[in-house]
């Protein structure tokens, strides 16, 4: 065998760039699936076909609640997992002596992305239908375009670019598309429970910076009982909506209090790192009746290192004190995210390599930065000792109206991920 | 012909009391119909049969929006009136020389009651199913028992008691059961438009006092637009629920301001006559998205004499100012009650007679009192110059949980109404 010319970053980037039109077309396909919670199946079948077209071995499997519900990081749900499937494209390198790295330096890699998207709000608020993707001024618009179907396309195209050059990763690479990143993370947890591990995990969430920390967050639904009455004797009733508003006001005070505390991972960049979001509210059934019930859904951020139990207890205590003041019966349900915060040390091997690859591929220094949300990277790092981070295409209005992703950034991130495969896993000839 | 012995109040009361079991059974029948808005038809068919069994001529007719929408007192709706029917039982006295009063003193009378009921809240909050009426400790429980199916039973049994004595009213009596008292009053307005008039109207709403005044009230739905965003960049979004809460806070200030003004008809009895009720709220669709829309439904009371336009303008101005402060787009819909307040002079003939009859029938003085809600009595008094009031069975938890009506009070009110037929219309022999 002649000596093998392994592709340089330059060659890899060329190969990525040749696939940009395909990337855009595939991204449009992905975005056209309305894959909100409970509706993820069709896009997963599409991804499965794409993985198969790349000659990846595919494992499509339903989440088994019984297998994950006792695991650290699990978030409880009140819906069924029937038909909820993750898809994993598995690259196992053939044994070879002809890789770009000695065997001991070939490291395995997980690319992980979620296919679920958040609801869109009324279609009428969008310039075009949120699931009819379109390109304008270098950006692709549609729900899930940035968060995070472009990220999934980035690792698919990165993998494909290597193949187009006649090579494959010289270590195991797992391309994972999961459900439920937007509410629990149980999709990724199920992949880990199923035994899928690697030396690092990268999630191309829509942050064009390498993520060094993310907040923890809990979701809870607070149900407030009032005392219904005719409005003619309003003072005899207790308005559950007014009651809920009072509780929210007290929770806002707690939010302010939490933000007076600084955390080294966040405080340099953010004035107000811990956001309490009142995401949903619903109460009452008749304009002239004092409403007897009102529920609201809270998302509360907190710093890494704060135990979940302590977070929940503080929230419970705040609600309990306020509710007793106003004589309001209440319940709290803790479904959805019960997610710890996490820091990803910028000095770890993967983090350093990713920064170096970024610089080499794009010619500029990567920025290392914390984010004020949660991502599935926490599972890898906290519970399975797998270094993990996020780095993905620059996006706008994620969870908002007219969400979009930069196609130039999609190309850049794809370049970085493709070069990173080479740098982290090593390459070997395809045949 | 021999001289006729017209029944005394004592005889009439005896006749009423004999029918108490029938009253309770009929009330149970009525309450067992779930006649919430849009579902009134079955109970109306039941009432029609009852009216027919009393040999009343029956006019059951659908509300024709085209005929009433231009009339004073009309409240706009955003639903259909198809199949929405009022039922009127018509008693026209046969010409006679043998009545208890000379013809010039026989006055015609409308009894009016609404069959629609307000929603119940979750069944589980009730001791028993709200539409499975039951009697306990002298009270009949169920949604609509007090508000106001017992009132309808009261005038039905009052009319029947007179007949059982071998007499009928010597003037026209109209027994009206209408829809939509709980949201518009358009049912009663349609009866008036159809030409049904009389010398007085009594509505046995669940107030055991003779009503001298009622507040006006408007309903409006306020739709607040926020700016959705991922909670990680919460400060870039505008939370529509938080925005709605801010508007509500400003409206509460307006409510407080309005209540600093006194009104002679209300201020003696009530510290806080004008209630703003936040009856419904709905917003957001994802716990981790800054919600883009939130709507709330307000019921605002105001004094008689304040023009509706002024009320609405003040509310609009308050919302507009607050919304501009927070940069919140909004809309306001004015569906449902656009109801003026009204006073019913206690010195009018009907009001005085009703008090006198009450005293004679029950042995105690009637109490004259204002109420802090609206009733259909406003249409008769304000737009058709028909003296009107309310007097009905004592009830508890109307619009609340475990609504009930006192069966003793039902009997008492039935006694009063039966005697009032005699006193107001005069009687004449049945055959």
């Amino acid at each position: 065998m002649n000596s093998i010319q392994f592709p340089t970053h330059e060659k890899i980037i060329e190969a990525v760039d040749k696939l940009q039109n395909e990337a855009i077309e595939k991204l449009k396909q992905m975005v056209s699936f309305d894959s909100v919670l409970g509706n993820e199946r069709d896009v997963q079948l599409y991804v499965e076909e794409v993985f198969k077209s790349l000659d990846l071995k595919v494992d499509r499997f339903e989440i088994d609640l019984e297998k994950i519900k006792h695991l650290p990081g699990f978030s409880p749900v009140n819906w069924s997992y029937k038909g909820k499937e993750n898809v994993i494209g598995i690259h196992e390198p053939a044994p070879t002596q002809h890789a770009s790295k000695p065997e001991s330096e070939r490291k395995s890699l997980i690319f992980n992305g979620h296919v679920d998207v958040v609801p869109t709000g009324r279609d009428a608020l969008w310039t075009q239908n949120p699931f009819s993707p379109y390109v304008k001024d270098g950006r692709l618009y549609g729900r899930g375009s940035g968060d995070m179907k472009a990220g999934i396309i980035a690792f698919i195209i990165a993998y494909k670019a290597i193949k187009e050059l006649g090579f494959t990763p010289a270590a195991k690479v797992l391309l994972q598309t999961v459900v439920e990143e937007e509410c629990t993370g149980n999709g990724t947890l199920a992949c880990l429970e199923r035994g899928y591990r690697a030396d690092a995990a990268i999630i191309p969430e829509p942050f064009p910076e390498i993520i060094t920390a993310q907040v923890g967050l809990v979701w809870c639904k607070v149900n407030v009982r009032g005392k219904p009455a005719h409005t003619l004797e309003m003072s005899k009733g207790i308005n559950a909506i007014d009651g809920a508003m009072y509780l929210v006001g007290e929770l806002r005070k707690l939010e302010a209090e939490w933000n007076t505390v600084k955390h080294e991972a966040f405080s340099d960049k953010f004035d107000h790192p811990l956001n309490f979001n009142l995401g949903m509210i619903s109460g009452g059934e008749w304009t002239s009746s004092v409403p007897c019930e009102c529920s609201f859904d809270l998302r509360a951020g907190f710093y890494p290192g704060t135990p979940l139990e302590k977070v929940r207890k503080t929230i419970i205590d705040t609600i309990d004190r306020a509710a007793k003041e106003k004589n309001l019966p209440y319940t709290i349900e803790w479904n959805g995210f019960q997610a710890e915060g996490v820091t990803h040390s910028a000095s770890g091997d993967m983090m350093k390599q990713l920064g170096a690859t970024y610089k080499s591929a794009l010619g500029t220094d990567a920025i290392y930065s914390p984010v004020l949300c949660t991502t599935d990277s926490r599972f890898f790092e906290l519970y399975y000792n797998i270094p993990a981070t996020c780095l993905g295409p620059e996006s706008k209005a994620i969870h908002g109206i007219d969400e979009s992703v930069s196609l130039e950034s999609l190309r850049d991130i794809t370049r970085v991920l493709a070069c990173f495969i080479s740098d982290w896993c090593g390459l070997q000839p395809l045949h």
Side-chain angles (χ1 to χ4, degrees), chain A residues 164-206:
Chain A
E164 297 282 305
L165 291 166
F167 292 85
T168 64
K172 181 175 67 178
V173 173
L174 302 170
L175 309 191
Q176 305 182 331
T177 57
V178 299
V179 297
E180 287 211 6
E181 187 276 344
E182 294 287 7
C183 51
T184 63
N186 290 341
T188 289
L189 181 60
C191 294
L192 285 156
E193 186 281 328
R194 203 167 169 88
Y196 292 107
R197 313 285 163 85
D199 296 318
I202 294 178
I203 306 180
E205 288 274 12

Side-chain angles (χ1 to χ4, degrees), chain A residues 24-35 39 42-43 46 117 129-134 140-145 149:
Chain A
I24 295 169
E25 286 315 305
K26 280 198 161 55
L27 178 54
K28 279 187 180 170
Q29 285 276 342
M30 294 266 305
V31 174
S32 67
F33 291 99
D34 173 357
S35 51
N39 204 28
D42 287 352
V43 72
Y46 171 77
V117 300
N129 180 295
F131 299 108
S132 300
Y134 63 98
L140 191 144
Y141 287 81
R143 170 59 82 232
S145 57
K149 288 169 174 174

Side-chain angles (χ1 to χ4, degrees), chain A residues 113-129:
Chain A
H114 65 87
V115 295
D116 55 313
V117 300
V118 298
T120 60
R122 270 191 302 126
D123 279 11
L125 301 175
W126 288 64
T127 304
Q128 293 195 26
N129 180 295

